[in-house]
Each structure stands twice: as C-alpha cells, then as structure tokens.
C-alpha cells in the first residue's frame, strides 16, 4: 500500500489541475476554498472563490463585513450555513485569536463550521498536519482500493476509514495525499466507468484486480426525498414589491424571500398563498395571476414552487421579521435562494409588461 501511496503522489504532482487555491499557501484562502468545496463541484467553486477573495481578501475584512454582504457573494452556492459560520468564525479569529487563524487542529476545530473535513483539509494542506480527509470521493476510492464491503454511508464506516488512512498518510506530504485522493476520486475513480488503466493505484487495487469495480463501494439505498408544494406571493404596490428576510438561523437563514409557505393537503395553491400572507405577515391579498411554477431540489427535500403576483386588498403587512418594499431594479442587491432566481426572469418580464398594475396603489 505504501508503494501505491508514492505512485499516487507522483501522479498528483504530474497531473493535478491548476486551481486557484493550489497557487497559495495562505491559510485563510485555503480555508475559504475548502468551505466552498464541501458539497459543491470544483468547476462551480472557482468563480465564487475568486469573487469572494476579491471582496474579502483577508480574514479581518471578512469579519468586518455585514452578513448580508457575505450572503450576497455566496448567493447561488447553496448551503448558506457555511457562509454564516465562516463569517462568525472570522469574527472569532479577530476577537479571540488576535486576527491569526489557529494552526493547532484542536483549536481550529472549535471555530464555527469547522468539522472533521474542514479541519483535516485545512490543517493538512496549509499547516502540514497528517490528518486524513474523508469525503465521498475518498470513501469511494478507499472502498475500491481495499475491497471494503461496509456501507460507506454509515457514520461508523467513515470513522473507520479515517483511522485506516491515518496509518498510511505520509507525514512529509499530508496535504498532497489528501488532495490526491480527492482528485483521483473526481477524475479517475469516478462513480461510473472509472479509468483503471490510468490509475496509480491499479497495481494493488482490490476492485480492479478482482473485477468488482461495479460492485464497490457498497451504499445502502436512501429513501426518496419528499417534494413539497409551496406557494409564494410577490405583492406589488405603487411601483414596489414586498420582500422579507428569513430568520438568521436555520435553512436559508439570513436570505431574502417572498411571503408564502407549504400548501396543505387538499388546499388549492392560490388559496394557500392568500392564507399564508394572512397568517405569516397579517396581510390581506388578492391574486392577480400565477407568474411561474418552478422546481428545486435541496439535499433532503424538493419543492414545487408556485409564484403568484398579488396586490393588497385590505390590511398592509405587519411582519415580525425585517422587510422592505423595493423597486425591481433593487432586487439584485439582496441575496435570495436559488429557487427564487428561477422565476426572476419571468418576474422582470411581467413587471415590464404590466406598468399599470405595477404602479397601482390599492
Ligand atoms: S484501479 Fe480503478 S477501481 Fe481501483 S482505485 Fe483506481 S480507478 Fe478506482
């Protein structure tokens, strides 16, 4: 196995992709990249990483920025708790660590959002600690390489793989080893049709030698994720539209949204949006028309989102959370969930096509 590790490192040295976070040894930049790379593809992360560091080039500048500005730069990358935690962690670095990102794993691990993956990735790549990273790519490579027959979705398996890799991670190049395992999983030992003929681990890979590549890794089938019907209202009045901010914690916390919610069993979506506006923000609305229907999948559920343009028919909103009435041109200044962006094009078109309705002041 150790011989294969050396081959893996040589392969990585010769073929690794030229990625912006591989051109730096700045721990803050590497930290930002690893936070973004969790749950997100490399191709997507590159542009976000560059924009983020242009806007917040140091941990101090990130700490000093309002959360809203951080979420705006993060907008579209998803998993917004990552951005909120990174922002809070940056503030803790400034207030509790004199502006220096801790370089001891057990201290770094205590910052918000720093779990096993981030800690191992940042400490191995930026500082040189021999801590193995265990993500989905690494689990797949390891299971095929060693013939591991356990369910890789089980927490116990992940911990066991971490312990096994801790015994083989080279002390002189731990960061390269971790990056090489992840790179191999992304480019060569892919879920379908792995390219064993160019793989540096092929010589002692269990799955390749025993022709079991299609059977490994073992993963228990997950139950299908539920899809919820949701209805939201774009309330229009006097050339402006109503938006509100989600509570800071929880799913999509801190982002902006339109009022609405889940459609109840047996309820018409149009009736649901009127009820939701009454219950959620105390506003009586009437529906002008359905604007769009979009679908969006999150990690554990999906939504079928129906969007209605509405006007106030009686009482104005009295919401308990931050809110405002904005012009259409101001929409770009607020971070919204990705599902909302799917109907913004239709909304802008409707706005342009209905000047009289937009300007009405009921
Ligand atoms: S030899 Fe094939 S199955 Fe084994 S690690 Fe390499 S790509 Fe994966």
């Amino acid at each position: 196995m150790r011989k294969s590790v050396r081959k893996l490192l040589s392969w990585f040295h010769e073929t690794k992709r030229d990625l912006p976070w591989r051109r730096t040894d700045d721990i803050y930049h590497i930290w930002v990249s690893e936070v973004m790379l969790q749950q997100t593809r490399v191709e997507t992360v590159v542009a976000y990483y560059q924009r983020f560091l242009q806007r917040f080039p140091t941990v101090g500048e990130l700490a000093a920025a309002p959360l809203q500005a951080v979420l705006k730069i993060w907008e579209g990358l998803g998993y917004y708790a990552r951005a909120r935690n990174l922002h809070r962690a940056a503030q803790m670095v400034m207030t509790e660590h004199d502006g220096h990102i801790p370089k001891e794993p057990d201290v770094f691990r205590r910052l918000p959002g720093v779990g096993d993956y981030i800690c191992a990735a940042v400490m191995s790549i930026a500082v040189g600690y021999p801590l193995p990273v265990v993500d989905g790519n690494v689990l797949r490579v390891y299971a095929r390489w060693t013939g591991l027959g356990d369910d890789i979705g089980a927490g116990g398996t992940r911990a066991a793989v971490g312990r096994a890799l801790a015994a083989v991670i080279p002390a002189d190049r731990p960061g390269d080893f971790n990056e090489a395992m992840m790179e191999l999983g992304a480019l060569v030992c892919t879920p379908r049709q792995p390219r064993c003929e160019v793989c540096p681990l092929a010589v002692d890979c269990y799955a390749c030698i025993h022709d079991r590549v299609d059977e490994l890794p073992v993963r228990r089938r997950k139950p299908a994720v539920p899809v919820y019907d949701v209805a939201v209202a774009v309330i229009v009045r006097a050339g402006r539209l109503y938006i509100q901010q989600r509570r800071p914690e929880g799913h999509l916390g801190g982002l902006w949204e339109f009022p609405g919610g889940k459609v109840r069993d047996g309820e018409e979506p149009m009736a649901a949006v009127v009820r939701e506006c009454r219950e959620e923000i105390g506003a009586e609305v009437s529906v002008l028309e359905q604007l769009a229907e979009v679908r969006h999948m999150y990690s554990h559920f999906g939504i079928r989102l129906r969007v209605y343009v509405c006007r106030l028919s009686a009482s104005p909103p009295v919401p308990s959370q931050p809110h405002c009435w904005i012009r259409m041109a101001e929409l770009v200044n607020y971070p919204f969930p990705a599902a909302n962006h799917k109907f913004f094009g239709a909304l802008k078109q409707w706005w342009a096509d209905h000047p009289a309705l937009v300007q009405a002041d009921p």
Side-chain angles (χ1 to χ4, degrees), residues 40-228:
T40 311
R41 294 170 63 83
V42 164
E43 300 75 28
T44 307
V45 167
V46 170
Y48 278 93
Y49 170 83
Q50 289 168 328
R51 272 202 302 274
F52 193 93
L53 290 181
Q54 269 168 14
R55 177 71 175 76
F56 314 114
T58 65
V59 70
E61 280 159 287
L62 174 59
L67 176 61
Q68 171 112 348
V70 179
L71 291 173
K72 185 63 194 169
I73 293 282
W74 205 273
E75 188 180 33
L77 201 53
Y79 299 97
Y80 295 91
R82 296 182 298 178
R84 294 195 302 271
N85 283 330
L86 185 60
H87 184 237
R88 269 202 304 140
Q91 292 174 331
M92 284 176 67
V93 167
M94 299 312 292
T95 56
E96 297 178 18
H97 300 282
D98 286 337
H100 301 293
I101 296 169
K103 293 187 173 171
E104 305 77 33
D106 55 332
V107 182
F108 182 63
R109 182 79 170 73
R110 289 201 287 272
L111 292 172
V114 179
D116 290 341
Y117 171 87
I118 292 292
C119 185
V122 175
M123 289 292 112
S124 65
I125 296 168
V127 190
Y129 274 95
L131 295 173
V133 161
V134 185
D135 72 350
N137 280 329
V138 172
L139 282 166
R140 182 174 58 257
V141 171
Y142 182 86
R144 287 173 173 165
W145 185 17
T146 64
L148 177 74
D150 299 336
D151 172 17
I152 62 164
T157 306
R158 184 174 285 259
V161 170
R163 285 193 297 274
L165 287 174
V168 298
I169 188 170
D172 57 337
R173 292 174 64 191
D176 281 353
F177 175 79
N178 282 332
E179 287 201 84
M181 286 288 280
M182 292 189 279
E183 187 94 331
L184 193 74
L187 300 182
V188 176
C189 193
T190 47
R192 278 175 287 280
Q193 298 179 327
R195 298 187 296 129
C196 301
E197 66 282 3
V198 297
C199 178
L201 303 182
V203 67
D204 66 353
C205 171
Y206 176 91
C208 185
I209 292 168
H210 295 89
D211 197 19
R212 293 194 56 199
V213 172
D214 292 340
E215 298 164 36
L216 293 171
V218 173
R219 183 186 279 282
R220 199 162 39 84
R221 196 175 284 278
K222 287 185 185 163
V225 295
V227 175
Y228 301 113

Side-chain angles (χ1 to χ4, degrees), residues 321-337:
Q321 67 258 58
H323 62 284
C324 49
W325 290 90
I326 61 167
R327 298 182 191 285
M328 177 57 75
E330 293 169 319
L331 203 57
V332 295
N333 299 336
Y334 296 83
F336 279 87

Side-chain angles (χ1 to χ4, degrees), residues 256-276:
W256 289 76
E257 64 173 7
F258 298 95
K262 275 188 202 164
V263 179
R264 293 175 180 164
D265 283 347
E267 187 177 36
E268 287 296 324
M270 202 184 293
V273 83
V274 173
R275 174 185 55 73
E276 282 286 341

